[in-house]
Amino acid sequence: MNKFIRKTLSIITVSLVVVIALYVSLSIYITHKIEDGLRNLPLHIQLDYKQIEIDLLSASAELDSVSLQLNSPDLSTKLLSATLKTIKIEGVSYRDLIYNRKLSITDLKMNSPKVVQYNSKLKKIKSDSLNKSDESKKPVKIYLEQLSLTNGSFKKYDSLHNINTSAKSLNIFFNKINYNAKDNKKSIPFNFKSFRIEGESLMAQTSEFEILNVENFKITDKIFQMNNGTFQTKYSRKELNNHISKERDHFLIAFSAINAKKYVLKGLDSNAISLKIPEIRLEKMDATIYRNKLKADDLTHKKLYSEQLRYIKHQLAIDSILISDSKITYAEKVKVGAQPGEIYFKNLNATIANLGNNYPKEKAVEIKVNTTFMKSTQLKVDWSFNVNDKNDRFLFKAGFGALPAEDLNPFVTPNLSIGLEGVLEETYFTIGGDKRRSAIDFKTRYENFKVDLLDRETKKEKKFLSNILNLFIAKDSKENKNNFRWSDVKDVERDPTKSVFNFIWLNARKGLLGAMAGNGKK
């Protein structure tokens, strides 16, 4: 081997050694910088891992067997913990790490995160209780081009250590995340451009009595979707009686899908949250509502919907809610040993416009319903009220098609011990009122109408009393012009301890009695 070749090989060997040495040194240095960055997260964020591997050429890293714990800012309370199989970091900016003390990452992937949140009451943080060494540090900055969590799970415990929220098969994606430690006191201490959250088997206890279950869901910055869900009382009808001292609805609401598109949500990092939704679609809802009237009355003041919406804490504006192909059943038990009385609405389609407290003063909530009442009676409802009107004025219009009176017997017989005969061929009424009183304009056309008073125990007709009662009721409306009988009731007083639907019922009952037992003239 001549001298030139030996010299060339020596230069190559030395160069390779130098390059390898530089690569190893730089890898160690970069690893140290990343670990330093992770160690210098805010003190209430604890991050541990088994090992970290660095690929200097691709500017990537991988952490194995990761655990994360988030405490309250004063370090007194554990808020959240998580374990992950791996965290993969790709596209680290060396320049930002070295010169700007900023962790800039192109892609951060979290595999199989298992997250547990604890529902603990936080103490108020005093300014002098913050860790002084933490204050003296230069704020940590983090930028993520993309963050993804795949195949995750989530559980949230209440103060009694019971699970009140959970979900499986979670996939979460965020784009363009910026985090600055100086913003850590905000509700959401980072900002982002867009996100997507998908999951299955969602369970959320929304109150002491109610629970939501959803087969699968998808939420992004533009759409909200839940499929095959139920919202229901978590106790059976019998069990609920053991948990309440006053009347409370027991219900089960099942739905095929709830969809919202192009919504705008603002103010999550503050106390001024604003939500605007152009349209919500609720498909194939089946609601069953039951009330045990044997329990003591709930005598608390009941607000009309306009007042409830007016005083929502945050700003809400839903331009349109569309309900399609749905059903509602209401059952009421008023007598021991008797079956609950029941009424139902099927083939229900409805629209609700301008729902919320963030509309111009002149814009009213408008509710339109088209449904089948009981077996085959067509019913249309047109209901409007203005949220900004502190008198809570409203207008309620309804029109019924042919209603065989016997269709009402499953409700009135168990509850009122009466039976009805005949046909209400057409019925229309308009109610105008406010939160205290109302008036109703009522008209109906009917044939061979008869009320049978029944014995409470045997359900047999009390013929003598029935005959006396029917002397005061016009048998039909044929003798009147256009075959309608009318009534105009001027003053119906609302019971403020009852719901708005009780108020509607009071009006309808007085209107019907006035038409049948009054002079029947317009």
Side-chain angles (χ1 to χ4, degrees):
M1 183 180 297
N2 58 40
K3 184 177 181 180
F4 175 76
I5 294 176
R6 287 199 304 274
K7 187 176 181 180
T8 301
L9 289 175
S10 297
I11 293 172
I12 293 173
T13 301
V14 171
S15 298
L16 286 173
V17 171
V18 171
V19 169
I20 292 171
L22 286 172
Y23 180 84
V24 171
S25 299
L26 192 56
S27 293
I28 294 173
Y29 178 77
I30 295 297
T31 301
H32 172 74
K33 281 291 184 181
I34 293 176
E35 290 180 325
D36 182 59
L38 295 175
R39 280 195 298 268
N40 283 287
L41 292 171
L43 292 183
H44 64 287
I45 301 176
Q46 299 176 12
L47 179 68
D48 297 305
Y49 49 89
K50 184 176 182 181
Q51 64 178 14
I52 182 171
E53 295 181 0
I54 303 294
D55 186 336
L56 197 61
L57 295 178
S58 63
S60 63
E62 182 172 329
L63 288 76
D64 293 327
S65 303
V66 183
S67 64
L68 172 70
Q69 182 170 309
L70 176 64
N71 300 310
S72 59
D74 65 351
L75 307 182
S76 66
T77 308
K78 182 165 70 171
L79 303 179
L80 181 146
S81 64
T83 60
L84 305 93
K85 285 186 178 180
T86 60
I87 297 179
K88 293 184 179 181
I89 304 170
E90 298 178 354
V92 179
S93 171
Y94 298 144
R95 181 181 178 85
D96 281 346
L97 266 178
I98 296 170
Y99 296 107
N100 301 325
R101 189 178 166 78
K102 180 179 180 181
L103 186 57
S104 296
I105 299 171
T106 300
D107 197 359
L108 175 59
K109 299 178 180 178
M110 300 185 179
N111 182 25
S112 300
K114 296 180 179 179
V115 181
V116 178
Q117 182 180 347
Y118 304 92
N119 188 11
S120 302
K121 293 184 178 180
L122 299 181
K123 300 177 181 178
K124 290 185 178 180
I125 304 171
K126 297 180 180 180
S127 57
D128 58 357
S129 67
L130 294 173
N131 189 289
K132 300 299 182 182
S133 62
D134 190 45
E135 287 182 336
S136 63
K137 291 180 181 180
K138 187 177 179 180
V140 175
K141 296 180 180 179
I142 299 175
Y143 172 75
L144 304 176
E145 182 71 22
Q146 181 170 295
L147 168 67
S148 62
L149 295 83
T150 56
N151 193 31
S153 65
F154 175 79
K155 293 180 181 179
K156 180 181 177 182
Y157 288 88
D158 61 21
S159 57
L160 298 176
H161 306 291
N162 298 315
I163 297 175
N164 70 0
T165 307
S166 64
K168 300 177 181 178
S169 303
L170 281 171
N171 295 293
I172 302 174
F173 303 90
F174 280 85
N175 289 319
K176 301 187 185 308
I177 298 176
N178 280 287
Y179 168 82
N180 195 327
K182 69 180 182 180
D183 296 327
N184 193 59
K185 292 181 181 179
K186 292 183 177 181
S187 300
I188 299 182
F190 59 89
N191 58 65
F192 53 88
K193 183 178 181 181
S194 61
F195 72 94
R196 184 172 84 252
I197 302 174
E198 302 171 339
E200 299 177 357
S201 303
L202 172 65
M203 183 279 289
Q205 184 169 326
T206 60
S207 74
E208 179 186 355
F209 294 96
E210 284 80 43
I211 190 168
L212 172 70
N213 285 282
V214 176
E215 185 176 297
N216 60 75
F217 64 94
K218 180 179 180 179
I219 306 171
T220 75
D221 51 300
K222 297 187 181 300
I223 67 170
F224 175 91
Q225 180 175 333
M226 294 192 297
N227 297 313
N228 299 325
T230 60
F231 182 51
Q232 65 187 100
T233 304
K234 69 176 184 177
Y235 303 108
S236 68
R237 291 182 181 182
K238 184 177 180 180
E239 288 174 324
L240 180 63
N241 289 332
N242 299 326
H243 292 272
I244 59 175
S245 58
K246 299 178 181 179
E247 289 182 7
R248 185 183 182 89
D249 286 339
H250 180 283
F251 61 86
L252 168 60
I253 302 173
F255 57 87
S256 174
I258 299 177
N259 296 288
K261 296 181 179 179
K262 298 181 180 179
Y263 70 88
V264 178
L265 179 60
K266 297 179 180 179
L268 281 176
D269 59 347
S270 68
N271 291 321
I273 296 176
S274 172
L275 176 61
K276 181 174 177 58
I277 307 176
E279 182 181 277
I280 296 177
R281 289 182 175 269
L282 175 56
E283 300 173 9
K284 293 184 178 179
M285 176 187 70
D286 188 348
T288 300
I289 304 166
Y290 167 80
R291 175 160 288 212
N292 183 358
K293 300 290 289 183
L294 298 176
K295 285 289 185 179
D297 289 341
D298 178 4
L299 298 178
T300 57
H301 177 80
K302 309 299 189 303
K303 298 177 181 178
L304 298 185
Y305 292 137
S306 50
E307 185 177 0
Q308 293 180 39
L309 289 167
R310 186 162 57 249
Y311 294 111
I312 292 176
K313 182 179 180 181
H314 303 292
Q315 297 297 309
L316 174 67
I318 305 175
D319 293 342
S320 178
I321 299 177
L322 305 178
I323 302 172
S324 61
D325 195 17
S326 296
K327 179 181 178 182
I328 299 176
T329 302
Y330 176 74
E332 192 175 88
K333 186 179 182 69
V334 298
K335 297 177 183 176
V336 176
Q339 289 296 316
E342 184 177 281
I343 57 173
Y344 57 88
F345 305 83
K346 58 185 180 181
N347 305 320
L348 188 147
N349 296 280
T351 62
I352 305 173
N354 312 321
L355 185 69
N357 60 352
N358 198 18
Y359 285 101
K361 290 183 178 180
E362 68 278 2
K363 208 151 196 174
V365 177
E366 297 180 353
I367 303 171
K368 298 182 184 297
V369 180
N370 195 332
T371 185
T372 302
F373 176 61
M374 303 304 280
K375 293 181 180 179
S376 59
T377 301
Q378 294 304 301
L379 167 62
K380 290 185 178 182
V381 171
D382 192 341
W383 183 9
S384 62
F385 53 84
N386 194 316
V387 172
N388 298 300
D389 179 5
K390 293 187 177 180
N391 288 316
D392 297 311
R393 285 176 285 235
F394 68 91
L395 191 65
F396 187 98
K397 300 179 181 180
F400 288 84
L403 172 59
E406 64 181 16
D407 286 357
L408 295 173
N409 287 337
F411 185 78
V412 299
T413 297
N415 291 348
L416 304 178
S417 293
I418 64 173
L420 301 178
E421 299 179 32
V423 178
L424 296 171
E425 295 179 342
E426 288 181 89
T427 302
Y428 305 93
F429 61 83
T430 298
I431 304 170
D434 56 31
K435 58 186 174 184
R436 295 182 179 88
R437 58 190 70 254
S438 64
I440 181 169
D441 183 14
F442 189 101
K443 70 174 184 178
T444 184
R445 182 166 63 87
Y446 60 95
E447 284 188 5
N448 300 319
F449 194 86
K450 184 175 179 289
V451 178
D452 301 324
L453 295 179
L454 307 177
D455 184 273
R456 290 194 175 205
E457 302 299 328
T458 65
K459 301 304 180 188
K460 291 182 179 181
E461 182 185 356
K462 298 178 179 179
K463 292 185 178 181
F464 179 72
L465 293 177
S466 295
N467 290 334
I468 293 176
L469 174 64
N470 285 292
L471 289 175
F472 297 95
I473 298 175
K475 186 177 180 182
D476 55 46
S477 58
K478 288 183 177 180
E479 73 277 9
N480 285 65
K481 186 179 179 181
N482 299 322
N483 292 335
F484 279 101
R485 289 184 66 87
W486 300 76
S487 69
D488 185 9
V489 182
K490 295 296 185 184
D491 194 5
V492 181
E493 186 174 356
R494 178 182 173 233
D495 182 349
T497 68
K498 304 292 185 181
S499 71
V500 62
F501 296 106
N502 175 267
F503 196 19
I504 300 297
W505 163 243
L506 286 177
N507 280 270
R509 184 180 67 182
K510 289 195 175 185
L512 180 61
L513 289 174
M516 290 186 169
N519 63 22
K521 295 180 180 180
K522 185 174 180 180

